[in-house]
Amino acid sequence: MVRTELKAHRFKVMARKRKSETSSLGMVGLYLPTDSLQGSFDADLRHEMYESLRGRTIPEALIEAVSGCAYHPEVVWRVPPELGSIIRDDHYDIVYYSDDSDAENGERLAQTWAEPKTAGEALAFCLSAELQALKVAGNSPVRSGGHLPHSTIAYIAFDLLQSYTVAPPGPHLQELIRALLKLSTAQQDQVGSYIAKEKAAYILAQSPELSLSTIADVVDVDRTTVSRWTKEEKFMARVSQLCEFMKTPEWTQMRQKEHSFQYIEVAKQVGK
């Protein structure tokens, strides 16, 4: 019997728009997020990628600007950048625009092979230096050398590319993409693992007494995987965050929102 058939015997799954807080005798009612998790994965992955740029050769102000989706404010250089040289935050100023039309002008401003004229182009310039350093590094450049992974550089480059809606990408971003050759996106197993982990956190926040085996069956992973998650500080911090959120009126509103959550009932099995 396949796993899904086994699960059908173990759980009585009922999708409802609204559900009373009172569950059946011997059963535990749980709300699990549905469509929102893919968007949460994308947002968390983007945040993680930009955070990984910190503490390297890339100036903090550029990271702050672009990670906050300010791709095209003008960069005015006091010290013109050179590939391979260290760029400091006091080498330039970022001039932020006040409306969308100015942002469109910023896209056009990027079209020059002189020093990068926008925040996005300046970040692409810095990433080109990181990519060059990665290529000339010896064995294990990421693990032992502290270099940015190729996949991270590719992700940021693609994010920069998506920001252009009026003019073509600037030349520094074009050069970075040309050096990368091709981009890799998050593998489906990464997405699946993220969704299962987030659902497990929701379950623990609602019913911490449930056994790890029950949680593993609900989210379709091995029990040892859930056990490993519960030993991770970041995961348990997420559970605590959800516990606090579930005390707020916003939690009630989210549960009642159509298609936001799936309501299920599982046998109340405690222990390990």
Side-chain angles (χ1 to χ4, degrees):
M1 189 176 292
V2 297
R3 186 178 182 87
T4 53
E5 292 174 337
L6 289 172
K7 290 173 67 178
H9 284 279
R10 295 175 186 173
F11 313 121
K12 182 182 180 183
V13 180
M14 297 180 294
R16 304 173 183 175
K17 291 176 65 175
R18 299 186 180 181
K19 176 66 182 177
S20 169
E21 294 294 328
T22 303
S23 59
S24 302
L25 182 62
M27 305 294 286
V28 178
L30 300 170
Y31 288 93
L32 299 181
T34 53
D35 298 340
S36 62
L37 286 181
Q38 178 68 55
S40 297
F41 173 82
D42 295 338
D44 284 356
L45 178 60
R46 185 179 186 277
H47 175 75
E48 179 182 335
M49 289 295 182
Y50 275 98
E51 284 298 302
S52 69
L53 302 182
R54 300 185 187 278
R56 302 176 184 274
T57 61
I58 303 172
E60 288 289 321
L62 285 180
I63 299 172
E64 286 293 327
V66 182
S67 65
C69 297
Y71 297 97
H72 305 298
E74 183 178 359
V75 173
V76 180
W77 295 93
R78 298 193 188 97
V79 180
E82 295 181 7
L83 197 62
S85 63
I86 297 177
I87 300 174
R88 301 199 308 265
D89 280 323
D90 61 356
H91 287 178
Y92 63 91
D93 290 316
I94 298 179
V95 182
Y96 287 90
Y97 300 121
S98 58
D99 55 40
D100 291 340
S101 64
D102 281 339
E104 293 176 6
N105 292 335
E107 289 188 39
R108 297 187 176 92
L109 182 65
Q111 311 301 310
T112 174
W113 268 112
E115 64 268 11
K117 298 292 188 181
T118 64
E121 277 287 273
L123 182 56
F125 180 91
C126 293
L127 289 174
S128 292
E130 290 279 349
L131 183 61
Q132 182 62 28
L134 181 63
K135 288 180 177 179
V136 302
N139 295 330
S140 304
V142 175
R143 184 174 64 254
S144 60
H147 292 282
L148 274 174
H150 185 280
S151 59
T152 299
I153 299 174
Y155 179 94
I156 301 295
F158 187 63
D159 187 63
L160 294 172
L161 178 64
Q162 290 179 300
S163 72
Y164 284 83
T165 58
V166 177
H172 294 282
L173 177 56
Q174 292 180 34
E175 183 63 22
L176 175 60
I177 293 174
R178 188 177 297 115
L180 288 164
L181 297 180
K182 64 179 181 179
L183 300 169
S184 61
T185 57
Q187 298 298 316
Q188 191 58 41
D189 56 350
Q190 287 181 278
V191 178
S193 177
Y194 176 91
I195 291 174
K197 196 171 188 178
E198 187 73 354
K199 285 186 175 181
Y202 270 84
I203 292 172
L204 280 172
Q206 294 172 81
S207 294
E209 76 280 359
L210 286 180
S211 69
L212 299 183
S213 297
T214 299
I215 297 172
D217 283 333
V218 173
V219 302
D220 201 17
V221 299
D222 292 330
R223 179 195 172 282
T224 55
T225 300
V226 178
S227 178
R228 186 180 73 252
W229 289 344
T230 60
K231 295 178 175 64
E232 296 176 4
E233 183 178 346
K234 184 177 179 180
F235 176 77
M236 295 310 296
R238 176 59 174 158
V239 174
S240 297
Q241 181 187 47
L242 287 172
C243 285
E244 293 303 313
F245 173 68
M246 289 174 184
K247 299 174 184 177
T248 67
E250 287 77 11
W251 166 241
T252 302
Q253 295 170 6
M254 285 186 64
R255 293 202 317 270
Q256 295 173 344
K257 187 176 180 181
E258 188 174 7
H259 305 310
S260 292
F261 288 87
Q262 172 195 31
Y263 181 82
I264 68 171
E265 289 184 348
V266 300
K268 192 172 184 179
Q269 299 176 5
V270 298
K272 300 299 181 182

